[in-house]
Amino acid sequence: MPMPRLALHGRPGAGKSTFAALLLEELRAAGATSKRIKVGAPLYEIQAVVRAAAGRPLLGADEQDGRLLNLLGAEMRRINPTALTDTFAARVREAEQRFPDAVLICDDVRAPDADSVVELGFRLLQITARDEVRRTRKALRGDLSAGDEAHSTEGSLAVAPWRCIVNDGDLAALRGQARALVAEEIR
């Protein structure tokens, strides 16, 4: 039986990346190999080039310029609606070859890409949090600029999620959900 593939979707600040990191830790503790793979990897790479060319390079790998990422994503999809998902599919195939027993985790699925990611065998996890909690977390992250919460990529999913993870509690509660999911899926 192939290892599971998990794709996380949610509004900004819901905790997608945090939940992915907890899944990776729990998988490692369970003795499973896992790899994180991102649909938006090309956008993050281009973001770094644009910021450097503008004389304001990123100072850390986790820094995000949400407004710039919204713009880049919209323009990439305008030019070629499958540009990001085609690149993602190629990265998934590469990961399958290099790490055939790895659990693949994608923590940045956006609405326009969800169908394509699911077609690659990923189970879609919807990460949710109350708006006030999510907005507070988003503000604390320290993004260089905030992404537009009404942006086309932040829309509703056309495909039903496999499971919903509610992230209204603390980190320990979220870790408990990650641990339970890993125990259920990795036997």
Side-chain angles (χ1 to χ4, degrees):
M1 176 173 152
M3 295 300 274
R5 296 175 179 183
L6 304 172
L8 285 54
H9 174 270
R11 307 266 310 174
K16 297 177 300 290
S17 295
T18 301
F19 192 67
L22 293 172
L23 283 172
L24 292 166
E25 288 176 16
E26 293 300 325
L27 286 162
R28 190 174 319 109
T33 302
S34 57
K35 298 294 174 192
R36 188 184 305 212
I37 185 168
K38 294 181 175 280
V39 173
L43 300 178
Y44 304 125
E45 293 164 8
I46 297 167
Q47 168 192 237
V49 171
V50 170
R51 295 279 313 185
R56 299 290 187 263
L58 298 173
L59 299 178
D62 291 336
E63 279 190 315
Q64 289 189 17
D65 186 332
R67 185 174 170 189
L68 177 59
L69 289 169
N70 282 165
L71 175 71
L72 294 171
E75 289 303 302
M76 290 274 291
R77 289 180 180 93
R78 180 190 61 80
I79 294 165
N80 176 2
T82 64
L84 296 175
T85 54
D86 289 347
T87 302
F88 181 72
R91 290 179 182 198
V92 167
R93 286 189 299 273
E94 179 184 338
E96 286 174 331
Q97 291 175 351
R98 292 183 62 205
F99 311 101
D101 296 328
V103 176
L104 301 181
I105 297 176
C106 173
D107 67 353
D108 68 344
V109 175
R110 298 291 188 255
D113 309 316
D115 287 338
S116 296
V117 171
V118 170
E119 286 175 11
L120 291 169
F122 282 80
R123 294 182 195 164
L124 193 60
L125 295 169
Q126 180 77 37
I127 311 298
T128 66
R130 290 188 322 272
D131 277 345
E132 63 271 14
V133 171
R134 190 179 56 71
R135 286 190 182 112
T136 299
R137 288 178 184 149
K138 186 178 169 187
L140 291 173
R141 253 184 358 201
D143 289 350
L144 299 170
S145 71
D148 180 0
E149 295 218 2
H151 192 266
S152 62
T153 58
E154 301 302 341
S156 298
L157 295 171
V159 60
W162 170 66
R163 185 168 291 171
C164 186
I165 303 294
V166 178
N167 183 19
D168 285 337
D170 61 12
L171 190 60
L174 190 61
R175 180 180 298 281
Q177 291 184 74
R179 184 174 294 125
L181 182 62
V182 167
E184 176 184 321
E185 292 302 311
I186 308 300
R187 302 169 218 245

